[in-house]
Amino acid sequence: NAPIAVMLDLTMMGKDSERIVGFLSAEKYEGPLIFITGANAQEISKRQEQADQFGLHVTDVLIKPFWLDDVARSLKSIEPVV
């Protein structure tokens, strides 16, 4: 069963987030993808383009540090999809 949504930290150690994006694509994941990051706007844009190239749909980006309310807002924004 596919997850309803995926929240992915882009700045995990190593290149794990890039590998996970590849995995999600290979598994034909079609749900919302929410990035979590402390990266700059240029890096975020690059990662969003990569996700697009893999056919993934980034619905939101949560910038660290963030609050639980931010997570709730992000998930609520995909509620119609869920």
Side-chain angles (χ1 to χ4, degrees):
N1 292 344
I4 294 171
V6 172
M7 297 181 81
L8 179 61
D9 189 336
L10 297 181
T11 53
M12 294 187 300
M13 294 175 56
K15 294 188 180 237
D16 289 338
S17 64
E18 291 175 11
R19 192 171 69 215
I20 291 169
V21 165
F23 170 80
L24 292 171
S25 176
E27 292 294 313
K28 309 243 186 287
Y29 176 71
E30 296 179 354
L33 178 58
I34 301 166
F35 285 164
I36 299 169
T37 187
N40 62 39
Q42 183 179 3
E43 181 66 20
I44 293 168
S45 178
K46 174 183 160 192
R47 294 301 195 89
Q48 285 178 308
E49 288 175 17
Q50 288 172 339
D52 288 344
Q53 290 172 354
F54 276 99
L56 300 173
H57 182 61
V58 178
T59 58
D60 200 5
V61 178
L62 295 175
I63 305 296
K64 296 177 188 178
F66 54 86
W67 300 99
L68 187 54
D69 288 345
D70 298 322
V71 175
R73 175 198 47 77
S74 184
L75 293 173
K76 188 170 180 76
S77 73
I78 62 169
E79 190 173 12
V81 175
V82 174

